Amino acid sequence: MTEEKESFEARLQSVQAIISQIEEGKLSLEESVKQFENGMKTLSQLDEEMKDMSRRLTVLKDGKEQELQGGGTDEGL
């Protein structure tokens, strides 16, 4: 993969593909576990991004003129 990060949507689709592969039952147990781990890691990253987007939208909605940096905390929410 290049230095560019895949889009949120592309990563979500990859998780959906992992789910489909596991549900089909065509993977070995070991491969299913590896895919599950990859999917959970990606979902965790997507969850953090969604939380960050939510914080950013809350700031915009409240009319505050502060810029949020990535990796912030949930303080004050």
PDB file of all heavy atoms in Angstrom, residues 1-2 5-6 8-13 15 18-20 23 25-26 29 31-33 35-36 38 45 47 60 67 75:
ATOM      1  N   MET A   1       0.836  -1.183   0.000  1.00  0.00           N
ATOM      2  CA  MET A   1       0.000   0.000   0.000  1.00  0.00           C
ATOM      3  C   MET A   1       0.877   1.241   0.000  1.00  0.00           C
ATOM      4  O   MET A   1       1.939   1.264   0.569  1.00  0.00           O
ATOM      5  CB  MET A   1      -0.904  -0.019   1.244  1.00  0.00           C
ATOM      6  CG  MET A   1      -2.018   0.985   1.174  1.00  0.00           C
ATOM      7  SD  MET A   1      -3.260   0.688   2.449  1.00  0.00           S
ATOM      8  CE  MET A   1      -2.824   1.994   3.576  1.00  0.00           C
ATOM      9  N   THR A   2       0.431   2.279  -0.647  1.00  0.00           N
ATOM     10  CA  THR A   2       1.195   3.510  -0.711  1.00  0.00           C
ATOM     11  C   THR A   2       1.060   4.270   0.593  1.00  0.00           C
ATOM     12  O   THR A   2       0.359   3.851   1.508  1.00  0.00           O
ATOM     13  CB  THR A   2       0.678   4.399  -1.872  1.00  0.00           C
ATOM     14  OG1 THR A   2      -0.669   4.776  -1.589  1.00  0.00           O
ATOM     15  CG2 THR A   2       0.739   3.660  -3.196  1.00  0.00           C
ATOM     16  N   LYS A   5      -3.580   6.982   2.742  1.00  0.00           N
ATOM     17  CA  LYS A   5      -4.478   6.183   3.563  1.00  0.00           C
ATOM     18  C   LYS A   5      -5.745   5.881   2.765  1.00  0.00           C
ATOM     19  O   LYS A   5      -6.264   6.744   2.065  1.00  0.00           O
ATOM     20  CB  LYS A   5      -4.818   6.996   4.813  1.00  0.00           C
ATOM     21  CG  LYS A   5      -5.597   6.277   5.840  1.00  0.00           C
ATOM     22  CD  LYS A   5      -5.720   7.187   7.054  1.00  0.00           C
ATOM     23  CE  LYS A   5      -6.600   6.586   8.089  1.00  0.00           C
ATOM     24  NZ  LYS A   5      -6.728   7.464   9.239  1.00  0.00           N
ATOM     25  N   GLU A   6      -6.231   4.643   2.875  1.00  0.00           N
ATOM     26  CA  GLU A   6      -7.482   4.292   2.218  1.00  0.00           C
ATOM     27  C   GLU A   6      -8.614   5.106   2.822  1.00  0.00           C
ATOM     28  O   GLU A   6      -8.578   5.455   3.997  1.00  0.00           O
ATOM     29  CB  GLU A   6      -7.800   2.814   2.423  1.00  0.00           C
ATOM     30  CG  GLU A   6      -7.044   1.858   1.561  1.00  0.00           C
ATOM     31  CD  GLU A   6      -7.563   0.449   1.750  1.00  0.00           C
ATOM     32  OE1 GLU A   6      -7.219  -0.153   2.776  1.00  0.00           O
ATOM     33  OE2 GLU A   6      -8.314  -0.022   0.881  1.00  0.00           O
ATOM     34  N   PHE A   8     -12.264   6.020   4.388  1.00  0.00           N
ATOM     35  CA  PHE A   8     -13.086   5.400   5.423  1.00  0.00           C
ATOM     36  C   PHE A   8     -13.997   4.356   4.784  1.00  0.00           C
ATOM     37  O   PHE A   8     -14.104   3.223   5.275  1.00  0.00           O
ATOM     38  CB  PHE A   8     -13.915   6.494   6.122  1.00  0.00           C
ATOM     39  CG  PHE A   8     -14.733   5.985   7.267  1.00  0.00           C
ATOM     40  CD1 PHE A   8     -14.229   6.029   8.549  1.00  0.00           C
ATOM     41  CD2 PHE A   8     -16.015   5.481   7.070  1.00  0.00           C
ATOM     42  CE1 PHE A   8     -14.979   5.568   9.623  1.00  0.00           C
ATOM     43  CE2 PHE A   8     -16.771   5.012   8.134  1.00  0.00           C
ATOM     44  CZ  PHE A   8     -16.245   5.063   9.416  1.00  0.00           C
ATOM     45  N   GLU A   9     -14.639   4.736   3.698  1.00  0.00           N
ATOM     46  CA  GLU A   9     -15.574   3.845   3.033  1.00  0.00           C
ATOM     47  C   GLU A   9     -14.897   2.595   2.498  1.00  0.00           C
ATOM     48  O   GLU A   9     -15.434   1.492   2.605  1.00  0.00           O
ATOM     49  CB  GLU A   9     -16.283   4.586   1.890  1.00  0.00           C
ATOM     50  CG  GLU A   9     -17.211   5.697   2.352  1.00  0.00           C
ATOM     51  CD  GLU A   9     -16.498   7.005   2.692  1.00  0.00           C
ATOM     52  OE1 GLU A   9     -15.265   7.111   2.510  1.00  0.00           O
ATOM     53  OE2 GLU A   9     -17.183   7.927   3.152  1.00  0.00           O
ATOM     54  N   ALA A  10     -13.699   2.740   1.927  1.00  0.00           N
ATOM     55  CA  ALA A  10     -12.973   1.588   1.387  1.00  0.00           C
ATOM     56  C   ALA A  10     -12.600   0.618   2.496  1.00  0.00           C
ATOM     57  O   ALA A  10     -12.704  -0.606   2.333  1.00  0.00           O
ATOM     58  CB  ALA A  10     -11.723   2.050   0.638  1.00  0.00           C
ATOM     59  N   ARG A  11     -12.187   1.153   3.641  1.00  0.00           N
ATOM     60  CA  ARG A  11     -11.831   0.286   4.770  1.00  0.00           C
ATOM     61  C   ARG A  11     -13.058  -0.407   5.340  1.00  0.00           C
ATOM     62  O   ARG A  11     -13.002  -1.577   5.722  1.00  0.00           O
ATOM     63  CB  ARG A  11     -11.076   1.067   5.830  1.00  0.00           C
ATOM     64  CG  ARG A  11      -9.670   1.437   5.323  1.00  0.00           C
ATOM     65  CD  ARG A  11      -8.876   2.234   6.306  1.00  0.00           C
ATOM     66  NE  ARG A  11      -9.481   3.564   6.389  1.00  0.00           N
ATOM     67  CZ  ARG A  11      -9.586   4.274   7.499  1.00  0.00           C
ATOM     68  NH1 ARG A  11      -9.117   3.813   8.635  1.00  0.00           N
ATOM     69  NH2 ARG A  11     -10.141   5.449   7.500  1.00  0.00           N
ATOM     70  N   LEU A  12     -14.192   0.291   5.370  1.00  0.00           N
ATOM     71  CA  LEU A  12     -15.432  -0.322   5.837  1.00  0.00           C
ATOM     72  C   LEU A  12     -15.849  -1.455   4.895  1.00  0.00           C
ATOM     73  O   LEU A  12     -16.262  -2.527   5.344  1.00  0.00           O
ATOM     74  CB  LEU A  12     -16.544   0.720   5.948  1.00  0.00           C
ATOM     75  CG  LEU A  12     -17.871   0.246   6.514  1.00  0.00           C
ATOM     76  CD1 LEU A  12     -17.704  -0.364   7.897  1.00  0.00           C
ATOM     77  CD2 LEU A  12     -18.863   1.392   6.549  1.00  0.00           C
ATOM     78  N   GLN A  13     -15.699  -1.237   3.598  1.00  0.00           N
ATOM     79  CA  GLN A  13     -16.013  -2.288   2.629  1.00  0.00           C
ATOM     80  C   GLN A  13     -15.093  -3.494   2.801  1.00  0.00           C
ATOM     81  O   GLN A  13     -15.534  -4.637   2.643  1.00  0.00           O
ATOM     82  CB  GLN A  13     -15.924  -1.752   1.204  1.00  0.00           C
ATOM     83  CG  GLN A  13     -17.083  -0.864   0.825  1.00  0.00           C
ATOM     84  CD  GLN A  13     -16.963  -0.314  -0.587  1.00  0.00           C
ATOM     85  OE1 GLN A  13     -15.923  -0.409  -1.226  1.00  0.00           O
ATOM     86  NE2 GLN A  13     -18.046   0.268  -1.073  1.00  0.00           N
ATOM     87  N   VAL A  15     -13.860  -4.547   5.593  1.00  0.00           N
ATOM     88  CA  VAL A  15     -14.365  -5.276   6.759  1.00  0.00           C
ATOM     89  C   VAL A  15     -15.604  -6.081   6.366  1.00  0.00           C
ATOM     90  O   VAL A  15     -15.754  -7.241   6.772  1.00  0.00           O
ATOM     91  CB  VAL A  15     -14.681  -4.319   7.934  1.00  0.00           C
ATOM     92  CG1 VAL A  15     -15.406  -5.045   9.058  1.00  0.00           C
ATOM     93  CG2 VAL A  15     -13.404  -3.680   8.450  1.00  0.00           C
ATOM     94  N   ILE A  18     -14.481  -9.155   4.681  1.00  0.00           N
ATOM     95  CA  ILE A  18     -13.959 -10.122   5.659  1.00  0.00           C
ATOM     96  C   ILE A  18     -15.120 -10.877   6.301  1.00  0.00           C
ATOM     97  O   ILE A  18     -15.082 -12.103   6.430  1.00  0.00           O
ATOM     98  CB  ILE A  18     -13.092  -9.418   6.726  1.00  0.00           C
ATOM     99  CG1 ILE A  18     -11.770  -8.959   6.106  1.00  0.00           C
ATOM    100  CG2 ILE A  18     -12.852 -10.330   7.926  1.00  0.00           C
ATOM    101  CD1 ILE A  18     -10.947  -8.045   6.998  1.00  0.00           C
ATOM    102  N   ILE A  19     -16.150 -10.152   6.693  1.00  0.00           N
ATOM    103  CA  ILE A  19     -17.322 -10.785   7.310  1.00  0.00           C
ATOM    104  C   ILE A  19     -17.928 -11.806   6.356  1.00  0.00           C
ATOM    105  O   ILE A  19     -18.250 -12.935   6.755  1.00  0.00           O
ATOM    106  CB  ILE A  19     -18.360  -9.720   7.729  1.00  0.00           C
ATOM    107  CG1 ILE A  19     -17.809  -8.872   8.873  1.00  0.00           C
ATOM    108  CG2 ILE A  19     -19.690 -10.377   8.127  1.00  0.00           C
ATOM    109  CD1 ILE A  19     -18.619  -7.628   9.168  1.00  0.00           C
ATOM    110  N   SER A  20     -18.077 -11.435   5.100  1.00  0.00           N
ATOM    111  CA  SER A  20     -18.645 -12.349   4.106  1.00  0.00           C
ATOM    112  C   SER A  20     -17.799 -13.604   3.955  1.00  0.00           C
ATOM    113  O   SER A  20     -18.330 -14.717   3.902  1.00  0.00           O
ATOM    114  CB  SER A  20     -18.776 -11.652   2.747  1.00  0.00           C
ATOM    115  OG  SER A  20     -19.723 -10.630   2.811  1.00  0.00           O
ATOM    116  N   GLU A  23     -18.305 -15.793   7.010  1.00  0.00           N
ATOM    117  CA  GLU A  23     -19.643 -16.386   7.023  1.00  0.00           C
ATOM    118  C   GLU A  23     -19.794 -17.509   6.000  1.00  0.00           C
ATOM    119  O   GLU A  23     -20.535 -18.471   6.231  1.00  0.00           O
ATOM    120  CB  GLU A  23     -20.707 -15.313   6.779  1.00  0.00           C
ATOM    121  CG  GLU A  23     -20.916 -14.402   7.960  1.00  0.00           C
ATOM    122  CD  GLU A  23     -21.945 -13.319   7.705  1.00  0.00           C
ATOM    123  OE1 GLU A  23     -22.244 -13.010   6.528  1.00  0.00           O
ATOM    124  OE2 GLU A  23     -22.445 -12.777   8.695  1.00  0.00           O
ATOM    125  N   GLY A  25     -17.648 -19.660   5.276  1.00  0.00           N
ATOM    126  CA  GLY A  25     -17.037 -20.857   5.823  1.00  0.00           C
ATOM    127  C   GLY A  25     -16.017 -21.522   4.918  1.00  0.00           C
ATOM    128  O   GLY A  25     -15.669 -22.681   5.110  1.00  0.00           O
ATOM    129  N   LYS A  26     -15.518 -20.804   3.937  1.00  0.00           N
ATOM    130  CA  LYS A  26     -14.560 -21.372   2.994  1.00  0.00           C
ATOM    131  C   LYS A  26     -13.111 -21.193   3.436  1.00  0.00           C
ATOM    132  O   LYS A  26     -12.208 -21.734   2.819  1.00  0.00           O
ATOM    133  CB  LYS A  26     -14.762 -20.769   1.605  1.00  0.00           C
ATOM    134  CG  LYS A  26     -16.117 -21.115   1.005  1.00  0.00           C
ATOM    135  CD  LYS A  26     -16.283 -20.527  -0.360  1.00  0.00           C
ATOM    136  CE  LYS A  26     -17.656 -20.890  -0.924  1.00  0.00           C
ATOM    137  NZ  LYS A  26     -17.876 -20.298  -2.229  1.00  0.00           N
ATOM    138  N   LEU A  29      -9.665 -22.438   9.658  1.00  0.00           N
ATOM    139  CA  LEU A  29      -9.833 -21.839  10.975  1.00  0.00           C
ATOM    140  C   LEU A  29      -8.759 -20.789  11.222  1.00  0.00           C
ATOM    141  O   LEU A  29      -9.053 -19.676  11.682  1.00  0.00           O
ATOM    142  CB  LEU A  29      -9.796 -22.909  12.066  1.00  0.00           C
ATOM    143  CG  LEU A  29      -9.930 -22.404  13.499  1.00  0.00           C
ATOM    144  CD1 LEU A  29     -11.244 -21.657  13.687  1.00  0.00           C
ATOM    145  CD2 LEU A  29      -9.816 -23.554  14.478  1.00  0.00           C
ATOM    146  N   GLU A  31      -7.004 -19.053   9.020  1.00  0.00           N
ATOM    147  CA  GLU A  31      -7.216 -17.883   8.172  1.00  0.00           C
ATOM    148  C   GLU A  31      -8.416 -17.073   8.659  1.00  0.00           C
ATOM    149  O   GLU A  31      -8.398 -15.844   8.628  1.00  0.00           O
ATOM    150  CB  GLU A  31      -7.406 -18.294   6.712  1.00  0.00           C
ATOM    151  CG  GLU A  31      -7.477 -17.130   5.754  1.00  0.00           C
ATOM    152  CD  GLU A  31      -6.240 -16.239   5.732  1.00  0.00           C
ATOM    153  OE1 GLU A  31      -5.120 -16.723   6.013  1.00  0.00           O
ATOM    154  OE2 GLU A  31      -6.380 -15.036   5.425  1.00  0.00           O
ATOM    155  N   SER A  32      -9.451 -17.743   9.138  1.00  0.00           N
ATOM    156  CA  SER A  32     -10.620 -17.046   9.687  1.00  0.00           C
ATOM    157  C   SER A  32     -10.227 -16.192  10.887  1.00  0.00           C
ATOM    158  O   SER A  32     -10.671 -15.052  11.014  1.00  0.00           O
ATOM    159  CB  SER A  32     -11.702 -18.047  10.101  1.00  0.00           C
ATOM    160  OG  SER A  32     -12.258 -18.680   8.989  1.00  0.00           O
ATOM    161  N   VAL A  33      -9.395 -16.747  11.759  1.00  0.00           N
ATOM    162  CA  VAL A  33      -8.946 -16.006  12.942  1.00  0.00           C
ATOM    163  C   VAL A  33      -8.108 -14.802  12.516  1.00  0.00           C
ATOM    164  O   VAL A  33      -8.292 -13.693  13.047  1.00  0.00           O
ATOM    165  CB  VAL A  33      -8.173 -16.921  13.913  1.00  0.00           C
ATOM    166  CG1 VAL A  33      -7.507 -16.115  15.017  1.00  0.00           C
ATOM    167  CG2 VAL A  33      -9.102 -17.962  14.507  1.00  0.00           C
ATOM    168  N   GLN A  35      -8.240 -13.177   9.661  1.00  0.00           N
ATOM    169  CA  GLN A  35      -9.133 -12.198   9.057  1.00  0.00           C
ATOM    170  C   GLN A  35      -9.975 -11.491  10.114  1.00  0.00           C
ATOM    171  O   GLN A  35     -10.203 -10.291  10.035  1.00  0.00           O
ATOM    172  CB  GLN A  35     -10.037 -12.875   8.011  1.00  0.00           C
ATOM    173  CG  GLN A  35      -9.310 -13.333   6.776  1.00  0.00           C
ATOM    174  CD  GLN A  35      -8.714 -12.182   5.992  1.00  0.00           C
ATOM    175  OE1 GLN A  35      -9.247 -11.069   5.965  1.00  0.00           O
ATOM    176  NE2 GLN A  35      -7.584 -12.430   5.365  1.00  0.00           N
ATOM    177  N   PHE A  36     -10.432 -12.244  11.104  1.00  0.00           N
ATOM    178  CA  PHE A  36     -11.198 -11.657  12.200  1.00  0.00           C
ATOM    179  C   PHE A  36     -10.373 -10.599  12.925  1.00  0.00           C
ATOM    180  O   PHE A  36     -10.852  -9.498  13.207  1.00  0.00           O
ATOM    181  CB  PHE A  36     -11.647 -12.753  13.173  1.00  0.00           C
ATOM    182  CG  PHE A  36     -12.446 -12.237  14.331  1.00  0.00           C
ATOM    183  CD1 PHE A  36     -13.795 -11.974  14.201  1.00  0.00           C
ATOM    184  CD2 PHE A  36     -11.832 -12.011  15.565  1.00  0.00           C
ATOM    185  CE1 PHE A  36     -14.524 -11.495  15.274  1.00  0.00           C
ATOM    186  CE2 PHE A  36     -12.557 -11.529  16.635  1.00  0.00           C
ATOM    187  CZ  PHE A  36     -13.911 -11.276  16.494  1.00  0.00           C
ATOM    188  N   ASN A  38      -7.809  -8.905  11.763  1.00  0.00           N
ATOM    189  CA  ASN A  38      -7.651  -7.752  10.872  1.00  0.00           C
ATOM    190  C   ASN A  38      -8.907  -6.898  10.847  1.00  0.00           C
ATOM    191  O   ASN A  38      -8.848  -5.663  10.888  1.00  0.00           O
ATOM    192  CB  ASN A  38      -7.307  -8.204   9.454  1.00  0.00           C
ATOM    193  CG  ASN A  38      -5.918  -8.779   9.336  1.00  0.00           C
ATOM    194  OD1 ASN A  38      -5.047  -8.488  10.146  1.00  0.00           O
ATOM    195  ND2 ASN A  38      -5.712  -9.615   8.339  1.00  0.00           N
ATOM    196  N   GLN A  45     -10.105   1.201  14.451  1.00  0.00           N
ATOM    197  CA  GLN A  45      -9.602   2.438  13.845  1.00  0.00           C
ATOM    198  C   GLN A  45     -10.754   3.279  13.297  1.00  0.00           C
ATOM    199  O   GLN A  45     -10.783   4.503  13.480  1.00  0.00           O
ATOM    200  CB  GLN A  45      -8.610   2.110  12.731  1.00  0.00           C
ATOM    201  CG  GLN A  45      -7.336   1.481  13.215  1.00  0.00           C
ATOM    202  CD  GLN A  45      -6.506   0.891  12.086  1.00  0.00           C
ATOM    203  OE1 GLN A  45      -6.965   0.756  10.956  1.00  0.00           O
ATOM    204  NE2 GLN A  45      -5.275   0.524  12.399  1.00  0.00           N
ATOM    205  N   ASP A  47     -13.836   3.245  14.315  1.00  0.00           N
ATOM    206  CA  ASP A  47     -14.572   3.766  15.461  1.00  0.00           C
ATOM    207  C   ASP A  47     -13.918   5.032  16.003  1.00  0.00           C
ATOM    208  O   ASP A  47     -14.597   6.024  16.285  1.00  0.00           O
ATOM    209  CB  ASP A  47     -14.671   2.701  16.552  1.00  0.00           C
ATOM    210  CG  ASP A  47     -15.491   3.161  17.743  1.00  0.00           C
ATOM    211  OD1 ASP A  47     -16.655   3.563  17.534  1.00  0.00           O
ATOM    212  OD2 ASP A  47     -14.969   3.110  18.874  1.00  0.00           O
ATOM    213  N   LEU A  60     -18.306  22.383  15.334  1.00  0.00           N
ATOM    214  CA  LEU A  60     -18.867  23.208  14.256  1.00  0.00           C
ATOM    215  C   LEU A  60     -20.312  23.601  14.557  1.00  0.00           C
ATOM    216  O   LEU A  60     -20.712  24.745  14.345  1.00  0.00           O
ATOM    217  CB  LEU A  60     -18.798  22.453  12.925  1.00  0.00           C
ATOM    218  CG  LEU A  60     -17.405  22.248  12.351  1.00  0.00           C
ATOM    219  CD1 LEU A  60     -17.472  21.334  11.136  1.00  0.00           C
ATOM    220  CD2 LEU A  60     -16.769  23.578  11.979  1.00  0.00           C
ATOM    221  N   GLU A  67      -9.900  24.816  16.376  1.00  0.00           N
ATOM    222  CA  GLU A  67      -9.532  23.733  15.481  1.00  0.00           C
ATOM    223  C   GLU A  67      -9.141  22.521  16.317  1.00  0.00           C
ATOM    224  O   GLU A  67      -8.329  22.625  17.221  1.00  0.00           O
ATOM    225  CB  GLU A  67      -8.357  24.156  14.602  1.00  0.00           C
ATOM    226  CG  GLU A  67      -7.965  23.114  13.595  1.00  0.00           C
ATOM    227  CD  GLU A  67      -6.864  23.607  12.685  1.00  0.00           C
ATOM    228  OE1 GLU A  67      -6.805  24.817  12.428  1.00  0.00           O
ATOM    229  OE2 GLU A  67      -6.061  22.775  12.261  1.00  0.00           O
ATOM    230  N   GLU A  75     -12.817  14.944  26.331  1.00  0.00           N
ATOM    231  CA  GLU A  75     -13.029  15.896  27.419  1.00  0.00           C
ATOM    232  C   GLU A  75     -14.110  16.891  27.037  1.00  0.00           C
ATOM    233  O   GLU A  75     -14.146  17.421  25.956  1.00  0.00           O
ATOM    234  CB  GLU A  75     -11.733  16.662  27.714  1.00  0.00           C
ATOM    235  CG  GLU A  75     -10.668  15.791  28.349  1.00  0.00           C
ATOM    236  CD  GLU A  75      -9.394  16.573  28.597  1.00  0.00           C
ATOM    237  OE1 GLU A  75      -9.471  17.799  28.743  1.00  0.00           O
ATOM    238  OE2 GLU A  75      -8.338  15.943  28.638  1.00  0.00           O
TER     239      GLU A  75
END
